[in-house]
Amino acid sequence: MLKISPEIYMSLICLLGGLFSLTVQAESPVYKVETVAGTGKAGFSGDGKKGSKAQLNNPFGVVIGPDQALYICDTGNHVIRKLSPEGTLTTIAGTQKAGYSGDGGPATQARLFEPYEIRFDKKGDLYFVEMKNHLIRKVNMKTGVISTLAGTGKPGFSGDGKAAIKAQFKRPHSIQFGPGGDLFICDIGNHRIRKIDMKSGIIRTYAGTGKRGPIPDKVKIQGLALNGPRAIDFDAQGNMWLALREGNAICRIDLKKELIYHVAGTGKKGFTGHGKPAISATLSGPKGIAIAPNGDIYFADTESHSVRWIDRKTLKMHLLVGTGKAGDGPETSVKNCRLARPHGVYVDRHGAVYVGDSEAHRVRKITRLRP
């Protein structure tokens, strides 16, 4: 029988331990966190310069446009800004002064009032919500001319069955184009999801009664009460994904069957459940949602200062970035990087996640370097 000295035995143990450690590390995802726009201080500066050296003021919605530039709702500055693929920042709508003016003229000369979320239609034109003006506006990207698509500018609830331009909203927050090209709107003050037929311009209520209700599951959407419908996105199959801010939940709506399913969140406020079924997790005021190309669901869990995600295949909850406490970085570690009430989230075609880290006054990008 071969005898091994204690010294050699311990060396073998250390070697095997090291190999095991390397294997575990190799299997663990590695992420890079970086600021692509904003310095961390609230302000307005940097047009024509690198985005990370510019100042933002409470960035909310973020989206990659058809030109592969990043578009940002610089909410506190009442403007829409564009970060080119080369990293240069410009302002494409708004004057920095809050108000409501400029329709029919250049978007850069129009007054906006807290743009919250931004989207593009199939033609490449830009649409955004102005929460404090209670309306949705459009920028023709070929001419640069701004116009109002929906809303009178006064808060309220009216207009179903009529032209959207004559309808009233109450603090609209999120918009997204559905699989048929129609525009869906989270009319949060009215606890409704509304829909604009983009061919006729007619608006109607798609879901919600105006009253709050419990988290729904496997029920028809008609006549259904919703508790704080705050953010929406669509997956490749045409399902709507809905974040309920006051309901602390994520739901999926099958547009064909008009059924709603409860996917994540118990309804109680909290920051629990990572690695476990999403249905048993607690959320804290989700205000932004984005579906990745692979179908995974990402959302800004605003009051827990984090971005979390749901595996589409297993429906388990995971934490992407944030510690549950407000802060600003450090960006040396995705595990320890603190956020401050993020609102916007977007996943690009490569799987990179962009975050409107609102009260940190930054837009961050999280890239997965290793699977």
Side-chain angles (χ1 to χ4, degrees):
M1 184 175 182
L2 181 65
K3 292 184 178 180
I4 300 175
S5 68
E7 292 81 5
I8 295 176
Y9 179 79
M10 290 305 298
S11 296
L12 287 171
I13 292 296
C14 290
L15 177 61
L16 289 172
L19 290 172
F20 176 77
S21 176
L22 287 172
T23 300
V24 171
Q25 289 179 24
E27 292 176 350
S28 300
V30 174
Y31 296 90
K32 175 184 177 182
V33 188
E34 60 183 318
T35 293
V36 295
T39 63
K41 293 183 179 180
F44 182 85
S45 69
D47 272 3
K49 298 180 180 180
K50 188 176 180 180
S52 58
K53 297 188 177 182
Q55 286 181 294
L56 309 177
N57 186 354
N58 266 271
F60 275 43
V62 290
V63 69
I64 297 291
D67 57 356
Q68 298 307 305
L70 177 68
Y71 290 79
I72 304 163
C73 286
D74 194 355
T75 302
N77 284 322
H78 313 289
V79 298
I80 305 291
R81 305 180 84 175
K82 171 185 173 180
L83 185 70
S84 73
E86 295 74 34
T88 302
L89 194 70
T90 54
T91 297
I92 65 162
T95 65
Q96 301 174 52
K97 294 182 179 180
Y100 176 42
S101 69
D103 276 2
T108 51
Q109 296 177 19
R111 288 194 180 189
L112 320 181
F113 200 170
E114 293 198 359
Y116 267 39
E117 193 166 81
I118 188 168
R119 303 290 187 182
F120 285 86
D121 67 9
K122 291 181 179 179
K123 295 179 180 179
D125 290 327
L126 178 154
Y127 295 76
F128 60 93
V129 169
E130 288 182 56
M131 187 178 186
K132 291 292 181 70
N133 275 334
H134 314 283
L135 47 76
I136 294 95
R137 297 174 91 176
K138 169 187 175 180
V139 178
N140 183 309
M141 294 301 283
K142 291 182 179 179
T143 65
V145 172
I146 192 170
S147 59
T148 297
L149 172 74
T152 65
K154 295 182 180 180
F157 175 74
S158 69
D160 274 6
K162 299 179 182 179
I165 192 69
K166 297 181 179 179
Q168 285 182 292
F169 300 92
K170 190 175 182 181
R171 303 196 314 276
H173 183 275
S174 179
I175 55 174
Q176 182 57 295
F177 289 95
D182 294 330
L183 186 66
F184 291 79
I185 305 145
C186 282
D187 191 1
I188 62 174
N190 289 315
H191 296 282
R192 299 172 187 262
I193 300 171
R194 301 175 80 179
K195 174 183 175 182
I196 300 173
D197 184 312
M198 294 300 286
K199 292 180 180 178
S200 67
I202 301 298
I203 190 170
R204 68 179 180 89
T205 292
Y206 178 76
T209 63
K211 297 181 180 180
R212 297 186 181 190
I215 303 172
D217 187 37
K218 298 178 184 178
V219 295
K220 287 284 186 178
I221 61 170
Q222 291 89 352
L224 180 69
L226 297 174
N227 190 6
R230 186 59 64 102
I232 50 176
D233 200 7
F234 288 87
D235 63 23
Q237 290 71 44
N239 295 297
M240 177 190 290
W241 288 84
L242 170 67
L244 296 166
R245 185 255 180 269
E246 285 81 4
N248 291 308
I250 304 294
C251 293
R252 175 176 65 87
I253 298 176
D254 185 320
L255 267 66
K256 294 180 180 178
K257 297 180 180 179
E258 295 193 331
L259 287 173
I260 188 168
Y261 299 87
H262 179 198
V263 177
T266 64
K268 294 182 179 179
K269 185 177 181 179
F271 184 55
T272 64
H274 300 128
K276 299 179 180 179
I279 197 73
S280 63
T282 56
L283 316 183
S284 290
K287 293 185 180 181
I289 193 165
I291 310 304
N294 68 354
D296 291 340
I297 303 97
Y298 289 76
F299 63 95
D301 202 29
T302 303
E303 308 303 334
S304 72
H305 314 286
S306 65
V307 173
R308 304 166 77 179
W309 65 280
I310 302 164
D311 187 301
R312 184 66 176 89
K313 294 180 180 178
T314 65
L315 294 183
K316 288 187 176 182
M317 181 69 68
H318 300 278
L319 175 64
L320 177 68
V321 62
T323 66
K325 296 182 180 180
D328 184 5
E331 293 185 338
T332 52
S333 166
V334 69
K335 181 180 179 181
N336 298 314
C337 183
R338 291 187 177 186
L339 310 181
R341 301 192 77 248
H343 281 74
V345 60
Y346 180 81
V347 187
D348 72 14
R349 59 185 179 179
H350 304 295
V353 182
Y354 295 82
V355 182
D357 193 0
S358 304
E359 292 187 2
H361 311 293
R362 299 176 185 269
V363 176
R364 302 186 197 266
K365 179 182 179 182
I366 299 99
T367 308
R368 191 167 183 166
L369 302 178
R370 190 172 69 208

